[in-house]
């Protein structure tokens, strides 16, 4: 097994290094170093996705990636292109890394540097500091609870930070209990090398809000990074797709732009497999199902499972394609029913579209999207009581029918809401007006139902046209950087 092999090799190498340079000497060298660079500052502001760019020549899962890579030149390009931290492999056998790369890179850049290795002994933590590292990687899968705590303590005593890497909810709980401040969720299983791009979504909701969350592995495309913006991570650790890129600055700009300046799209009121197929192929980020019985879009929970199973794009996604998240929409339903339906279908988010109070929202065991409507300026104050206890706010047009009416609301009030919170804008959106909505409101996301229907039935052409128009408008927004700065919450 790869992990056992590498840990065994690490022990052999370490025993030799301890003979060559005893612990007391490496400690002294570590303590002689100038103070480490501030890693937490590098991940500020928290509502952006920052980049940890990795220098690696090879990996056990992919073999030789970039054998001729110049570590220092590459790290400088990373920094100039917007990376917040540089990760450097120091493991020599499986990743072709080297301590010399780390020290040379540390001297060549001004951002913090991470020692990426298989750390199992305090000696390696002192070594990392002696070589200039500001941060170390601690992998939960190769450490027991006591080792994790001890190594975290050694890092803290040297004023270094640790990226504590987890691969499961169980490991995430262990990292939290050990007091990890920076938690990395690695989508790659280190035993089988299998990728699970949804791991970050599943683990994210049990991680406390005050931690810095890093998504690791398999981050290549626009769609990959748009998902990360949805899971509220503070950083993405990217290696392979950077070192194999023909144009590293362009690739970094693409990753940062799409992680921080895209608009999430939810297609709501779905009930037929063909429309789910269209929404997925067109790049929808969330699919919505209405569990409000009076609505003509109402769908029974069992039927949701059937239509998803009948959707080819959902059951057999293309290579590299990431599936949208599932949202259940409820109006004044009781919490037990909502939680049971969420478990039955595997819903990822719950949208509450009625009079639900902030206290009620807290009884829901999924992240909540709370729909609110704004009639006047004073209504903006209501947002505050929901902001900290919900995942997102959704601003819909005030109507007696709760939602899904096809009527547009006051976009000026929505614009003010979007300046305070990450909002989804809903109500009367269409392919024709959505560019103006984005330009005027600058919402984090958009939610549409009536506008992608013909005669009260979803219309594949309209779904595709709506999403294409959003992506087109985004490009215009991304090319006007001064607008981006205005809306840092997106
Ligand atoms: O769509 C419905 O039937 C519905 C019923 C009850 C509450 C919310 C509902 N839909 C939500 O309304 C907006 C879509 O509005 P529009 O049709 O595009 O004008 C969206 O948030 C839906 O989730």
């Amino acid at each position: 097994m790869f992990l056992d092999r590498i840990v065994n090799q690490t022990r052999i190498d370490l025993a030799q290094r301890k003979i060559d340079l005893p612990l007391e000497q490496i400690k002294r060298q570590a303590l002689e170093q100038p103070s480490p660079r501030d890693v937490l500052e590098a991940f500020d502001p928290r509502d952006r996705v920052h980049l940890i760019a990795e220098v690696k020549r090879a990996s056990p899962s992919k073999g030789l990636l970039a054998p001729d890579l110049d570590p220092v030149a590459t790290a400088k390009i990373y920094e100039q292109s917007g990376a917040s931290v540089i990760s450097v492999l120091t493991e020599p056998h499986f990743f072709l890394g080297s301590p010399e790369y780390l020290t040379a890179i540390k001297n060549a850049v001004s951002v913090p540097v991470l020692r990426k290795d298989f750390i199992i002994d305090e000696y390696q933590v002192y070594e990392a500091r002696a070589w200039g590292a500001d941060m170390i990687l601690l992998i939960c899968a190769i450490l027991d609870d006591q080792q994790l705590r001890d190594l975290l303590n050694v890092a803290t005593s040297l004023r270094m930070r640790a990226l504590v890497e987890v691969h499961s909810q169980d490991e995430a709980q262990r990292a939290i209990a050990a007091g990890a401040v920076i938690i990395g969720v690695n989508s790659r299983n280190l035993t089988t090398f299998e990728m699970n791009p949804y791991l970050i979504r599943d683990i994210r909701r049990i991680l406390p809000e005050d931690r810095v969350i890093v998504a690791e592995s398999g981050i290549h495309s626009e769609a990959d990074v748009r998902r990360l913006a949805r899971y509220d991570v503070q950083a993405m650790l990217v290696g392979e797709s950077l070192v194999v890129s023909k144009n590293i600055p362009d690739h970094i700009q693409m990753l940062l732009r799409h992680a921080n300046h895209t608009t999430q799209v939810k297609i709501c009121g779905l009930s037929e497999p063909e429309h789910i197929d269209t929404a997925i192929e067109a790049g929808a980020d969330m699919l919505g199902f209405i569990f409000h019985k009076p609505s003509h879009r109402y769908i029974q929970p069992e039927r949701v499972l059937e239509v998803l199973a009948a959707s080819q794009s959902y059951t057999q996604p293309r290579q590299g394609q990431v599936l949208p998240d599932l949202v259940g929409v409820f109006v004044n339903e009781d919490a037990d029913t909502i939680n049971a339906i969420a478990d039955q279908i595997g819903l990822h988010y719950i949208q509450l579209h009625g009079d639900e109070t902030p206290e009620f929202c807290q009884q829901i065991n999924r992240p909540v999207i709370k729909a609110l409507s704004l009639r006047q300026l004073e209504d903006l104050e209501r947002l505050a009581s929901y902001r900290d206890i919900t995942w997102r706010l959704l601003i819909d047009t005030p109507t007696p029918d709760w939602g899904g009416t096809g009527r547009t609301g006051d976009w000026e009030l929505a614009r003010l809401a979007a300046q305070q919170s990450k909002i989804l804008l809903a109500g009367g959106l269409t392919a024709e007006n959505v560019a103006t909505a984005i330009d005027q409101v600058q919402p984090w996301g958009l939610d549409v139902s009536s506008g992608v229907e013909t005669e009260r039935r979803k219309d594949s052409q309209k779904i595709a046209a709506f999403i294409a128009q959003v992506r087109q408008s985004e490009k215009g927004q991304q090319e006007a950087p001064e607008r981006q700065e205005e809306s840092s919450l997106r």
Side-chain angles (χ1 to χ4, degrees):
M1 214 165 63
F2 155 72
L3 207 50
D4 292 339
R5 280 175 55 213
I6 196 161
V7 171
N8 286 340
Q9 185 61 53
T10 300
R11 282 190 219 287
I12 295 167
D13 293 351
L14 189 57
Q16 185 58 50
R17 291 208 301 279
K18 283 180 173 176
I19 294 169
D20 295 345
L21 191 64
L23 178 65
E24 285 317 309
Q25 285 186 36
I26 196 79
K27 263 190 186 177
R28 196 170 334 113
Q29 287 185 13
L31 295 169
E32 280 166 10
Q33 291 296 314
S35 292
R37 293 175 187 158
D38 190 338
V39 173
L40 290 188
E41 196 181 271
F43 297 132
D44 196 47
R46 280 184 63 89
D47 60 7
R48 282 184 67 84
V49 182
H50 300 267
L51 174 65
I52 304 178
E54 184 154 285
V55 173
K56 75 169 162 191
R57 290 169 175 237
S59 77
S61 59
K62 296 287 170 77
L64 273 180
L65 292 168
D68 302 325
L69 171 141
D70 177 335
V72 172
T74 306
K76 282 180 161 177
I77 294 173
Y78 287 169
E79 181 183 34
Q80 282 155 12
S81 307
S84 300
V85 172
I86 310 293
S87 165
V88 187
L89 263 304
T90 51
E91 196 290 322
H93 306 281
F94 298 81
F95 292 88
L96 303 187
S98 158
E100 282 80 42
Y101 298 161
L102 191 143
T103 304
I105 288 171
K106 175 66 186 265
N107 292 332
V109 300
S110 54
V111 292
V113 173
L114 162 71
R115 178 186 182 187
K116 190 101 176 296
D117 210 323
F118 293 76
I119 293 182
I120 48 172
D121 188 294
E122 64 169 351
Y123 185 95
Q124 293 165 289
V125 185
Y126 289 110
E127 218 176 32
R129 188 75 272 273
W131 297 340
D134 307 292
M135 191 182 189
I136 51 164
L137 177 72
L138 295 177
I139 303 173
C140 277
I142 58 171
L143 300 169
D144 65 29
D145 288 347
Q146 193 57 50
Q147 288 173 312
L148 183 58
R149 272 180 218 278
D150 290 347
L151 293 172
L152 268 171
N153 284 339
V154 179
T156 307
S157 73
L158 294 169
R159 296 203 280 151
M160 274 196 291
R161 294 285 176 180
L163 170 62
V164 179
E165 181 174 295
V166 303
H167 297 85
S168 65
Q169 293 216 357
D170 188 42
E171 287 181 3
Q173 301 286 13
R174 290 180 52 216
I176 297 165
V181 173
I182 306 172
I183 300 178
V185 179
N186 192 345
S187 305
R188 180 174 285 117
N189 180 315
L190 289 184
T191 310
T192 62
F193 296 145
E194 257 172 47
M195 294 296 298
N196 174 5
Y198 306 104
L199 190 67
I200 179 71
R201 174 180 66 197
D202 301 336
I203 291 185
R204 181 64 184 97
R205 64 193 169 97
I206 65 161
L207 298 174
E209 276 307 304
D210 60 354
R211 310 302 154 105
V212 172
I213 309 305
V214 181
E216 301 176 34
S217 296
I219 299 166
H220 300 265
S221 65
E222 285 181 29
D224 292 334
V225 289
R226 215 169 49 240
R227 289 174 62 242
L228 300 184
R230 203 151 71 243
Y231 306 140
D232 294 330
V233 303
Q234 280 66 50
M236 52 184 159
L237 193 154
V238 186
E240 183 190 325
S241 78
L242 287 177
V243 296
V244 302
S245 168
K246 298 257 179 307
N247 187 333
I248 292 175
D250 275 7
H251 192 65
I252 290 184
Q253 272 149 36
M254 181 281 283
L255 293 173
L256 289 172
R257 199 170 59 231
H258 287 278
N260 292 302
H261 300 290
T262 51
T263 311
Q264 308 277 327
V265 178
K266 170 169 169 262
I267 303 292
C268 202
L270 290 158
S271 59
E272 292 175 61
E274 81 175 86
H275 303 131
I276 292 174
D277 283 339
T278 308
I280 293 173
E281 293 305 322
D285 301 296
M286 288 169 273
L287 307 179
F289 300 95
I290 302 289
F291 299 111
H292 176 54
K293 286 190 180 140
S295 167
H296 71 273
R297 303 184 181 99
Y298 171 74
I299 181 164
Q300 289 187 329
E302 307 73 51
R303 180 74 191 136
V304 174
L305 292 172
E306 285 167 17
V307 294
L308 288 173
S311 155
Q312 184 147 1
S313 304
Y314 194 78
T315 51
Q316 293 164 315
R318 280 179 288 106
Q319 173 80 17
Q321 185 171 40
V322 281
L323 292 176
D325 297 332
L326 307 180
V327 182
V329 181
F330 297 86
V331 177
N332 298 335
E333 188 56 85
D334 70 84
D336 287 346
T337 305
I338 296 173
N339 288 332
I341 293 175
D343 289 342
Q344 180 188 357
I345 303 176
L347 296 174
H348 304 113
Y349 300 100
I350 298 297
Q351 182 174 321
L352 299 176
H353 222 98
D355 291 326
E356 299 87 359
T357 61
E359 293 71 35
F360 181 88
C361 295
Q362 288 175 298
Q363 295 175 41
I364 303 303
N365 60 22
R366 294 286 192 285
V368 166
I369 302 170
K370 178 68 190 98
L372 296 165
S373 45
L374 302 172
R375 288 183 173 80
Q376 56 211 4
L377 216 48
E378 292 70 45
D379 290 345
L380 284 168
E381 288 165 21
R382 283 176 52 230
L383 307 189
S385 54
Y386 288 93
R387 197 166 29 233
D388 293 339
I389 47 127
T390 56
W391 175 61
R392 295 287 183 268
L393 298 177
L394 182 148
I395 304 300
D396 197 2
T397 310
T399 69
D401 301 326
W402 300 113
T405 59
R407 275 180 252 157
T408 50
D410 184 334
W411 286 352
E412 178 51 21
L413 288 175
R415 183 182 74 83
L416 296 173
Q419 285 178 347
Q420 298 174 6
S421 312
K422 289 179 175 175
I423 67 151
L424 283 142
L425 178 69
L429 295 171
T430 62
E432 288 69 41
N433 68 13
V434 73
T436 313
I438 294 174
D439 189 49
Q440 208 170 315
V441 180
Q442 303 269 304
W444 175 84
L446 300 157
D447 190 5
V448 62
S449 192
S450 309
V452 291
E453 288 176 346
T454 299
E455 293 174 1
R456 298 192 3 143
R457 223 193 124 205
K458 286 284 172 296
D459 179 324
S460 283
Q461 272 189 352
K462 286 187 182 174
I463 293 172
F466 184 87
I467 297 173
Q469 185 58 59
V470 175
R471 301 292 171 238
Q472 186 59 38
S473 309
E474 262 168 15
K475 283 207 187 100
Q477 298 277 314
Q478 289 164 355
E479 279 153 19
E482 67 283 2
R483 293 302 304 268
Q484 295 172 9
E485 300 317 321
E486 271 175 34
S487 181
S488 60
L489 284 168
R490 287 181 63 204

